[in-house]
Amino acid sequence: MNSKPTIYIIGTGGTIAGEGSNATTASYKSGQINTKRLVNAIPGLGKKVNIRTETLFSTGSENLGPDNWKILALRIEELSDDPEINAFLITHGTDTLEEVSFFLDLVLKPKKPIVLTGAMRSSTALSADGPANIFQASLAAISPKLKNQGVLVVMNGLIIQGRQAIKTDSLALESFSSYPGGPIGKIVGEEVFIFGIPRPSPIMGRFHSHLLNQMELPFVEIIFLRGGYSENLIKIFENNNSNGIVVAGFGAGTMPKNLAKVISEKAKAGNIFIVSSRVSRVSVLPETMTSIDHNNVLPAGVLNPQKSAILLSLGLKENLKAFELVKFLKLLEIQ
Ligand code: SIN
């Protein structure tokens, strides 16, 4: 009798499936290796799990966005009732890994573990990290200690809640961190260690309705502030037609006074703003951000601009009001 669990691995491209012309070059082409070939090269994996594979996308994750993430979410849902599948593993480019993991956590009500991983070095590079990441992500996917956790990311031996994954370095192997709060566990050899009692996101699956209709997500602009140039930035705000705008402000959510004035006017006209920050570990609270006295201007809490834009976009699609979005932003501050 075959008692090994079965993992369904969905490849979506990225560096993990990238191929360079030789082992020492820093340049490579993303998404070249098909998922079956990628996985077959991993020593020891077949002893732990049965594997089924599919290549859904073969590209760098800079080319993937909400429409692709929805296709991925629907594919996972479609396969979730298959009794022969015990868990899902998604291989993905790391550049937008934090966005896809956040999105999947918001739209899926997972029946089975879903773990995402990627690699910082291509599959042909010296000391490629993809094989170890896939092996470790597989251990997390079948671990009884990680049941019902929603979407997880495993990178460089760390187990991170999908909503909390952030990419912090363009090239380093230890690029991925968990924020806010640390990783929920780590993998050493073949052992999965869990720190404390992990909790899935309090709003996991809250936007599942997005998967049930064809309507596109509304576009949310992110406006990135920088020192000076506030007159030019004012024009960008004034000319923007999105219903929702995320401000990548300074530090803990500050911005020049003249910009705050324009935002306040647009908020009065009905636009919803989330004020986030350019820093990698964001904390924007009502008392730390530049004060703008309007209910349509929301502090991002701990969400970076790209995650804020996903939440705002899903919220606008449901016609949620600012006060409802505030509740989600608050809940996401919980570690
Ligand atoms: C990508 O995101 O597709 C390229 C970068 C990477 O996977 O590390």
Side-chain angles (χ1 to χ4, degrees), residues 15-326:
T15 297
I16 194 164
E19 199 169 28
S21 56
N22 62 62
T24 50
T25 176
S27 79
Y28 58 88
K29 208 157 172 238
S30 284
Q32 297 301 292
I33 312 278
N34 117 340
T35 312
K36 194 176 183 122
R37 208 177 120 206
L38 196 66
V39 167
N40 281 346
I42 301 175
L45 187 59
K47 287 200 192 122
K48 295 274 172 203
V49 290
N50 299 314
I51 292 162
R52 284 164 60 186
T53 62
E54 156 177 353
T55 303
L56 189 61
F57 308 118
S58 299
T59 185
S61 72
E62 68 277 14
N63 301 314
L64 302 177
D67 294 346
N68 310 92
W69 306 336
K70 186 170 179 180
I71 291 170
L72 174 61
L74 288 169
R75 184 70 183 126
I76 294 170
E77 281 221 329
E78 188 185 350
L79 290 163
S80 287
D81 288 327
D82 182 336
E84 289 180 4
I85 297 174
N86 299 95
F88 294 95
L89 172 52
I90 319 299
T91 60
H92 198 277
T94 63
D95 284 344
T96 58
L97 187 56
E98 62 184 276
E99 283 153 88
V100 69
S101 57
F102 184 65
F103 175 89
L104 291 178
D105 204 58
L106 289 173
V107 302
L108 283 172
K109 295 183 172 172
K111 296 184 183 150
K112 297 180 178 168
I114 301 168
V115 182
L116 289 104
T117 194
M120 299 302 295
R121 294 183 184 152
S122 79
S123 71
T124 49
L126 268 185
S127 309
D129 53 329
N133 285 345
I134 293 176
F135 184 78
Q136 294 176 338
S138 302
L139 293 184
I142 59 167
S143 171
K145 299 175 193 169
L146 288 168
K147 289 250 179 289
N148 306 319
Q149 287 305 312
V151 176
L152 298 174
V153 168
V154 171
M155 284 295 288
N156 197 36
L158 299 179
I159 307 165
I160 299 170
Q161 298 277 8
R163 70 185 185 281
Q164 297 185 334
I166 53 168
K167 183 172 182 176
T168 64
D169 193 296
S170 302
L171 294 172
L173 292 184
E174 65 275 23
S175 176
F176 275 80
S177 287
S178 178
Y179 182 80
I184 59 169
K186 66 178 178 179
I187 293 154
V188 180
E190 297 186 1
E191 287 297 315
V192 175
F193 293 90
I194 305 299
F195 313 141
I197 302 166
R199 276 181 307 208
S201 166
I203 58 169
M204 179 172 78
R206 167 60 185 78
F207 294 93
H208 185 253
S209 63
H210 174 54
L211 302 183
L212 309 179
N213 59 56
Q214 305 278 328
M215 267 163 61
E216 276 186 15
L217 284 184
F219 177 68
V220 166
E221 186 82 71
I222 299 177
I223 300 184
F224 191 93
L225 304 195
R226 57 196 167 136
Y229 304 101
S230 60
E231 292 306 321
N232 307 60
L233 286 166
I234 284 173
K235 289 204 186 81
I236 294 176
F237 276 95
E238 280 174 346
N239 296 333
N240 195 286
N241 295 320
S242 329
N243 289 336
I245 299 179
V246 172
V247 183
F250 302 109
T254 58
M255 67 186 82
K257 286 200 185 79
N258 48 2
L259 270 185
K261 191 161 167 279
V262 179
I263 289 176
S264 162
E265 279 154 17
K266 287 193 81 97
K268 278 182 203 140
N271 298 76
I272 300 183
F273 288 84
I274 295 184
V275 180
S276 181
S277 172
R278 317 182 309 173
V279 305
S280 63
R281 291 179 172 78
V282 172
S283 290
V284 177
L285 309 173
E287 62 271 36
T288 64
M289 63 181 267
T290 298
S291 171
I292 303 176
D293 192 19
H294 197 282
N295 292 342
N296 277 349
V297 184
L298 317 176
V302 295
L303 284 195
N304 63 21
Q306 54 275 34
K307 291 185 191 182
S308 301
I310 291 171
L311 183 70
L312 183 49
S313 185
L314 287 164
L316 288 174
K317 184 179 169 195
E318 280 194 20
N319 290 320
L320 295 187
K321 300 277 176 286
F323 77 89
E324 294 167 290
L325 285 163
V326 171

